[in-house]
Amino acid sequence: MNTGVSIVADDTRSWGMETPGPGLLLHVPAAGRWAQRPAMHLDAAPGYRIRLRGMRQTLLWTRIDSYWDRAVFLRGTALFPQVLPPLSAPEVRAVEAASGTGPWWEAWAWRVARALVEAPLPVLHAGSWCLRPVRAIAAEKAERHPVSPMEWGFGQPPLPPHSLSAVTRFLTAWKEDWWESLPEQRPGAVLALRVPSSPEDGRVKSWRKRARDGTLPPVLLLYVDILAKWLVLDGHDRLHAALLEGVEPPLLGLWPFVTPPRPASAVREEGALFSAEFQLRAGATPETVDRVNRMLVHSFTPDPRGTVSRAWPIPGGRETWREEVTTRRRRGWLPPLEDNALDWLT
């Protein structure tokens, strides 16, 4: 264990979503290995150009429209690096508490937290992180992408995961319309980072048995707020096995968070109340009520905790970006996207 990292129980009053068990807070110092870019991290160039890197290779390029109306995604050709060591049968059996109970979640949270700290390919960087159980919702219940600054801003809590079946798909390039997004593209969607294993793969078969027995270890997801997605960091085969068995997989969510000091503001609070009234008058659906409640809690809570994903500047900026994306497009067949979306990505 790296003694520079502090791990304590999560004392957050509410993250605005269902958390079925206790969580942990990891406070990572800005010293030593933690002051550097982790092996897996985000980079950025001007114009909402975001790339996901793993072991100095690009796993994903994303460009978001300046009005947040659409986003285009392109995967790299590099294999997703193994972030955590594979789980052995003795390690799984060592957690003796009943699955889904508080002690079971606590045991797995501590194991995953230690593994993240000791990982040779670090994901953590300096700052504060939350590791907590999360529960998936139906895609139809997910919030739409925001259209107003009163609805969203950097530093809001993560949104609940949905569309877990994404682990069985692996599109190399796709476009998302965030103005009228499909349910499976709404904020909180889960994104697999590697090609799914065959259902006949030995590890998938082994995890399927544990899924049937109710002893499946949790899947680790990382929330990236700028993309409004959860990335599968560890447990692709476990998630696939649960889907094949038709059972709800246990999920551990990981996200960086900040706690900015925020004094009371009559302007902010009145604006939030006006926005809430306007939205509810348009139709008080369950999704609208949930969205309004989250907005009001965020607007009226002093010093609220929220997530902000850190990104490092891409050396060379847009020129490097264009060169990389152009080279990737030449290396293999990509599906045609409407509106020349890949040209726009470049």
Side-chain angles (χ1 to χ4, degrees):
M1 172 66 69
N2 187 310
T3 56
V5 178
S6 168
I7 305 178
V8 298
D10 182 13
D11 60 352
T12 309
R13 287 192 300 172
S14 172
W15 284 107
M17 60 180 172
E18 185 175 359
T19 54
L24 299 173
L25 301 182
L26 289 74
H27 300 291
V28 183
R33 67 185 296 214
W34 308 115
Q36 307 171 14
R37 298 188 192 194
M40 184 171 168
H41 65 274
L42 296 175
D43 288 335
Y48 295 112
R49 292 169 170 87
I50 310 294
R51 72 179 185 184
L52 175 67
R53 299 277 280 179
M55 288 298 292
R56 300 181 181 180
Q57 300 185 82
T58 299
L59 305 175
L60 183 72
W61 289 274
T62 305
R63 183 180 175 189
I64 303 170
D65 180 79
S66 58
Y67 290 98
W68 288 64
D69 287 343
R70 64 171 174 167
V72 176
F73 297 80
L74 173 64
R75 293 188 189 269
T77 57
L79 296 177
F80 174 59
Q82 189 161 349
V83 175
L84 300 182
L87 285 172
S88 65
E91 288 175 316
V92 176
R93 290 194 296 268
V95 180
E96 299 179 348
S99 180
T101 63
W104 185 88
W105 278 116
E106 185 176 9
W108 277 113
W110 274 100
R111 186 202 176 280
V112 172
R114 293 189 182 101
L116 285 167
V117 171
E118 297 169 353
L121 303 179
V123 175
L124 303 178
H125 55 69
S128 296
W129 297 75
C130 182
L131 179 67
R132 184 147 193 157
V134 293
R135 178 160 288 157
I137 62 173
E140 292 74 17
K141 294 183 178 180
E143 295 185 13
R144 57 166 171 76
H145 285 276
V147 297
S148 165
M150 283 294 181
E151 293 181 11
W152 185 88
F154 288 106
Q156 291 202 7
L159 292 163
H162 64 84
S163 301
L164 303 182
S165 59
V167 74
T168 64
R169 302 188 298 273
F170 197 78
L171 299 175
T172 54
W174 69 99
K175 174 190 172 185
E176 294 185 0
D177 183 351
W178 285 5
W179 177 252
E180 293 181 338
S181 58
L182 299 172
E184 61 269 20
Q185 295 177 350
R186 292 174 182 171
V190 172
L191 179 63
L193 292 178
R194 69 166 175 80
V195 176
S197 301
S198 166
E200 301 304 315
D201 181 86
R203 287 189 66 82
V204 174
K205 286 185 175 181
S206 176
W207 291 131
R208 289 186 70 171
K209 182 178 184 301
R210 288 203 168 272
R212 291 193 297 270
D213 295 343
T215 58
L216 191 69
V219 177
L220 178 62
L221 306 178
L222 170 68
Y223 190 73
V224 180
D225 68 317
I226 188 70
L227 304 181
K229 293 187 185 298
W230 293 90
L231 310 181
V232 182
L233 280 189
D234 184 69
H236 284 80
D237 288 343
R238 297 196 293 278
L239 181 50
H240 193 184
L243 294 172
L244 291 170
E245 291 298 321
V247 302
E248 180 183 357
L251 305 173
L252 264 178
L254 174 70
W255 57 88
F257 73 89
V258 294
T259 312
R262 188 176 68 177
S265 169
V267 173
R268 182 186 67 246
E269 294 170 358
E270 290 174 6
L273 291 173
F274 176 81
S275 177
E277 182 180 2
F278 179 81
Q279 293 181 67
L280 293 174
R281 282 182 177 178
T285 64
E287 293 76 15
T288 300
V289 172
D290 287 343
R291 182 172 64 251
V292 167
N293 284 340
R294 285 172 57 90
M295 179 191 66
L296 291 175
V297 168
H298 182 75
S299 298
F300 283 85
T301 299
D303 304 340
R305 287 174 175 169
T307 182
V308 176
S309 297
R310 181 176 178 181
W312 282 259
I314 297 177
R318 291 185 181 180
E319 291 304 315
T320 298
W321 174 277
R322 292 191 184 100
E323 181 180 348
E324 287 184 355
V325 173
T326 300
T327 300
R328 168 64 185 94
R329 293 179 65 183
R330 291 171 179 167
R331 283 184 175 175
W333 180 88
L334 295 172
L337 303 181
E338 61 180 7
D339 301 328
N340 297 318
L342 287 177
D343 291 336
W344 178 78
L345 174 70
T346 305

